[in-house]
Amino acid sequence: QVRLVESGGGLVQAGGSLRLSCEASGRTFSRSTIGWFRQPPGKEREFVAAISWSGGGARYTDSVKGRFTVSKDNAKSTVYLQMDSLKPEDTAVYYCAATTKVVLTTTPALYDSWGQGTQVTVSS
């Protein structure tokens, strides 16, 4: 089981930036895909981005391509989600999650471990 601890959410104006962090621990995280998901108010949880810890490949949902960047720091066992040019529609609770089942999957049900979530609010 992978344990995930998120940080970095907050309130920002439209056009601003935030960086979310997801610190991972546990014996399988080095073989995991780490995904970022978000759940806007009153809506379903949706895929944002993912990175393969071992291979380093990444995947993004279309609405964040060119604005968000997912990266990792092996020495710190941490995955980051750099969010630039933020829009009010990016407002949501953001979660990181880990899976060893499918590389770079966008399906929440395939992720085994989840962080506690962090609120991101973008004002217009």
Side-chain angles (χ1 to χ4, degrees):
Q1 191 86 6
V2 178
R3 181 170 181 266
L4 304 169
V5 179
E6 300 149 5
S7 59
L11 173 63
V12 65
Q13 288 188 329
S17 299
L18 281 174
R19 188 177 77 162
L20 305 183
S21 300
C22 176
E23 184 175 359
S25 60
R27 62 186 180 91
T28 60
F29 80 88
S30 63
R31 297 186 284 111
S32 298
T33 283
I34 304 295
W36 287 98
F37 293 80
R38 65 187 180 187
Q39 188 162 15
K43 296 185 178 180
E44 297 287 319
R45 191 169 298 188
E46 61 185 23
F47 172 78
V48 177
I51 187 166
S52 170
W53 197 279
S54 58
R59 185 175 186 178
Y60 301 89
T61 193
D62 286 346
S63 63
V64 307
K65 285 180 181 175
R67 300 189 299 123
F68 290 11
T69 304
V70 61
S71 63
K72 61 185 177 72
D73 185 328
N74 290 342
K76 296 182 178 180
S77 301
T78 299
V79 171
Y80 302 101
L81 184 66
Q82 177 67 41
M83 305 185 295
D84 299 318
S85 302
L86 282 161
K87 305 175 181 180
E89 51 264 44
D90 295 317
T91 294
V93 178
Y94 283 71
Y95 300 88
C96 64
T99 181
T100 57
K101 294 176 181 175
V102 180
V103 176
L104 299 178
T105 180
T106 65
T107 305
L110 292 177
Y111 284 79
D112 304 303
S113 303
W114 291 81
Q116 79 282 5
T118 186
Q119 177 70 46
V120 171
T121 303
V122 184
S123 62
S124 57

